[in-house]
Amino acid sequence: MKIAIVCYPTFGGSGVVATELGIALAQRGHEVHFVTYRQPVRLELLSNNIHFHEVHVQEYPLFHYQPYELALSSKLVDTVKMYGIDLLHVHYAIPHAYAGYMAKKMLEEEGIQLPMITTLHGTDITLVGKHPFYKPAVNFSINQSDVVTSVSQSLKEDTLSFFEIRKDIHVIPNFIDKRKYTRTPENCQRHLMADADERIITHISNFRKVKRVRDVVEVFYKVQQQIPSKLILVGEGPEREGVELMIEELGIVDKVIFLGNSNEIEHILCFSDLFLLPSEKESFGLAALEAMINKTPVISSNTGGIPELNVHGESGFLSDVGDIDSMVGHALTILGDDTVLQGFKERAYDRALEFDLLRILPMYEAVYESAYEMRLKKA
Ligand code: GMT
């Protein structure tokens, strides 16, 4: 099939999922066309089945806001016509489903049917999408999609409760490609980050308020008072400055390492002993899955879709949002004993295997088939 994928090209989870999905589809013989404003961060254009089409928004003094949706929908129309695209898969409803719908309508005028699959990722529903500024447009474009998928059961339920949805929503969880994770603890170069007697605790996010990075620091602060440890913080975002200040005030600057946005996630997680994800909201928690495939247990909040991934007492532990003491207790349980830690590491890995790409990819392909059949019926 010839598939156009629209996504955010940044480090965010939805962009990562879209990119990894596109790469996997190309490996299965599909022709994949990414249409977005920059080459996605995890995309290496080394396959003749993968194409990238950059959306340019021309600056014009009259425009206070540059019309990205317009440029995107026009680019989609051109790409579909030029390459004979069979279907469109948009990731993150805002504004992608809306722009996709416009492209669909423009193409219909020319007798071209373009089925659209919309994948809901989280904040497009739980934070931004349900805001009154956007809600009618999001509601409309979800209903106009031919197939809608969400990355967790929890997100499906949120979508059904926040919007008036007339579509069936297929739950297709996020995935991980186990074949990519081949490092063993011996080749992790752990000594670069911590002393031999220290545990390594890691957090990766976009440092938005919803991630509660301050909770990460508070938990770490209490844990390192009892178990020698280092904290590795990966990512950039609005909370970073405040968090840096907090670390200074707590007097733990020498125990915290900021790595910024990194393409070396796999390397960092390889030498991590524990991953912290205390988010306020989280539709799935892809970063936790990446930790688990690297044999890193997860201490998380029990919000949104996280409990569908992290199994309490198995791959890590779950606590209520903001319950620092509970998270500290769980962290000490895991980190306090080598044998216990090893057990959690193995079980985190086993749990992650349930989300292996080879199990999840056929679900997307099935959805594509059904959307494609709809197109044939309409044509
Ligand atoms: O976590 C973020 O803020 C980024 C956001 C995104 O759209 O890039 O992530 C959402 O999608 C990810 C991939 O499906 C999920 O794993 C994250 O849980 C979800 N984030 C939230 O719901 C806050």
Side-chain angles (χ1 to χ4, degrees):
M1 263 187 212
K2 294 185 179 183
I3 303 157
I5 292 183
V6 174
C7 64
Y8 283 107
T10 54
F11 282 92
S14 64
V16 170
V17 169
T19 309
E20 301 283 358
L21 176 63
I23 294 170
L25 288 165
Q27 283 165 357
R28 294 266 267 226
H30 298 282
E31 186 178 305
V32 178
H33 295 254
F34 286 92
V35 185
T36 180
Y37 59 83
R38 203 186 309 131
Q39 183 171 324
V41 281
R42 290 209 190 172
L43 184 65
E44 287 154 18
L45 290 172
L46 289 177
S47 149
N48 58 359
N49 275 350
I50 297 184
H51 304 243
F52 165 58
H53 310 277
E54 189 169 332
V55 179
H56 294 280
V57 186
Q58 207 180 10
E59 299 258 336
Y60 184 65
L62 183 68
F63 297 151
H64 185 61
Y65 302 104
Q66 306 306 316
Y68 179 65
E69 291 90 314
L70 223 63
L72 174 59
S73 54
S74 298
K75 188 77 185 177
L76 281 171
V77 168
D78 290 347
T79 308
V80 168
K81 281 165 51 182
M82 190 175 297
Y83 294 91
I85 301 293
D86 295 312
L87 57 86
L88 169 65
H89 188 171
V90 301
H91 290 260
Y92 209 89
I94 306 170
H96 300 152
Y98 195 72
Y101 169 75
M102 289 310 296
K104 222 173 127 66
K105 283 300 181 200
M106 285 186 261
L107 288 161
E108 242 171 66
E109 288 283 300
E110 301 188 39
I112 301 170
Q113 297 294 332
L114 180 70
M116 177 167 81
I117 291 111
T118 297
T119 292
L120 309 173
H121 278 275
T123 44
D124 48 350
I125 297 300
T126 55
L127 278 182
V128 204
K130 67 175 188 179
H131 192 282
F133 291 171
Y134 301 113
K135 191 175 167 185
V138 173
N139 199 86
F140 173 80
S141 36
I142 293 176
N143 279 325
Q144 294 301 322
S145 306
D146 295 286
V147 179
V148 183
T149 79
S150 84
V151 298
S152 65
Q153 181 62 29
S154 150
L155 181 60
K156 173 178 175 171
E157 283 158 19
D158 283 344
T159 309
L160 295 175
S161 74
F162 299 150
F163 298 94
E164 292 79 47
I165 300 298
R166 300 187 304 271
K167 290 264 153 201
D168 190 17
I169 299 179
H170 303 253
V171 176
I172 304 185
N174 286 333
F175 56 83
I176 201 85
D177 186 355
K178 72 169 182 218
R179 297 165 301 177
K180 282 193 182 168
Y181 299 90
T182 50
R183 280 178 209 264
T184 58
E186 295 73 48
N187 62 20
C188 276
Q189 296 188 295
R190 181 193 167 96
H191 63 277
L192 296 177
M193 287 295 160
D195 297 336
D197 67 331
E198 284 177 321
R199 300 292 197 199
I200 298 181
I201 301 176
T202 301
H203 170 77
I204 302 174
S205 76
N206 50 24
F207 281 58
R208 280 192 275 152
K209 235 186 165 53
V210 70
K211 300 291 176 180
R212 295 185 71 103
V213 190
R214 286 159 191 270
D215 287 7
V216 170
V217 176
E218 270 193 62
V219 170
F220 172 74
Y221 180 70
K222 291 188 174 176
V223 169
Q224 59 82 39
Q225 287 176 325
Q226 302 198 43
I227 295 177
S229 334
K230 284 265 161 61
L231 175 64
I232 300 183
L233 292 173
V234 184
E236 292 288 347
E239 285 288 279
R240 168 148 179 187
E241 226 175 277
V243 163
E244 274 179 299
L245 213 68
M246 185 179 172
I247 287 165
E248 223 179 298
E249 280 163 13
L250 290 170
I252 50 171
V253 173
D254 56 332
K255 294 184 176 160
V256 183
I257 302 159
F258 281 92
L259 292 181
N261 279 332
S262 172
N263 270 327
E264 301 233 36
I265 300 298
E266 180 198 334
H267 191 168
I268 297 161
L269 288 167
C270 176
F271 49 60
S272 300
D273 297 305
L274 194 67
F275 187 79
L276 295 182
L277 190 69
S279 309
E280 182 93 39
K281 289 185 198 305
E282 200 71 67
S283 69
F284 181 87
L286 185 65
L289 177 56
E290 293 188 320
M292 286 157 64
I293 199 73
N294 281 289
K295 300 198 171 181
T296 305
V298 175
I299 298 285
S300 66
S301 60
N302 54 13
T303 191
I306 302 180
E308 295 171 46
L309 169 68
N310 186 20
V311 181
H312 189 71
E314 293 287 326
S315 53
F317 286 107
L318 300 158
S319 302
D320 289 339
V321 173
D323 191 343
I324 304 293
D325 288 341
S326 158
M327 292 183 198
V328 171
H330 291 145
L332 294 174
T333 302
I334 294 179
L335 297 177
D337 180 285
D338 283 345
T339 317
V340 174
L341 175 59
Q342 201 48 41
F344 272 96
K345 278 178 174 277
E346 296 304 331
R347 288 190 301 273
Y349 179 71
D350 289 346
R351 176 68 180 149
L353 293 182
E354 292 177 37
F355 297 85
D356 185 45
L357 169 74
L358 296 180
R359 286 178 165 214
I360 310 297
L361 194 59
M363 298 186 194
Y364 276 114
E365 287 182 315
V367 150
Y368 291 167
E369 288 296 335
S370 74
Y372 193 65
E373 273 164 31
M374 280 180 215
R375 166 192 160 142
L376 293 180
K377 273 186 205 148
K378 277 187 196 166

